[in-house]
Amino acid sequence: GMRKALQAEQGKSDMENRIVQLEAEKKDLERQIQDLKAKCEAIEKRESERRQLDEKKHAEEVQFLKRTNAQLKQQLESILAPSSNAAAAAKK
């Protein structure tokens, strides 16, 4: 009877220690979750900012190329126009 009571008491003590250990593990895992969530949010924010920057750069590049294209087209037309008028005058 006494030995069984001591074993039961020991078992109860082991269980209580195990509960404390598991609660500490749980706290640690919850902290890890918070850390990972924060890292994830930081990465998402950084990537979003990078993507916006890339899109802005791309839009500026497209605008630049359109302007350059328009200027070159204008130059080409101004070069071609007088010579075609001169050629027409020479034929007369």
Side-chain angles (χ1 to χ4, degrees):
M2 189 64 177
R3 198 168 64 184
K4 244 191 177 139
L6 282 173
Q7 283 179 332
E9 193 61 39
Q10 180 64 44
K12 185 179 175 193
S13 175
D14 289 348
M15 274 299 175
E16 285 170 350
N17 288 340
R18 182 82 179 119
I19 288 170
V20 169
Q21 182 188 347
L22 288 171
E23 283 174 345
E25 266 182 56
K26 180 182 165 213
K27 250 187 200 134
D28 187 49
L29 290 170
E30 285 172 343
R31 186 190 50 73
Q32 286 181 41
I33 288 172
Q34 291 308 311
D35 288 351
L36 290 170
K37 277 184 180 173
K39 278 183 186 170
C40 196
E41 284 171 16
I43 289 169
E44 284 174 350
K45 186 180 177 198
R46 193 170 61 237
E47 282 305 302
S48 170
E49 288 169 355
R50 190 188 58 78
R51 189 169 44 250
Q52 284 176 349
L53 201 65
D54 284 351
E55 286 171 4
K56 186 180 170 201
K57 251 200 251 174
H58 178 73
E60 287 171 357
E61 203 175 324
V62 167
Q63 280 307 110
F64 172 76
L65 291 172
K66 281 182 178 176
R67 274 197 310 273
T68 305
N69 191 31
Q71 287 171 349
L72 291 173
K73 201 172 177 184
Q74 212 172 17
Q75 286 176 0
L76 186 62
E77 285 169 358
S78 70
I79 290 168
L80 293 178
S83 66
S84 65
N85 287 348
K91 284 184 182 172
K92 287 183 180 173

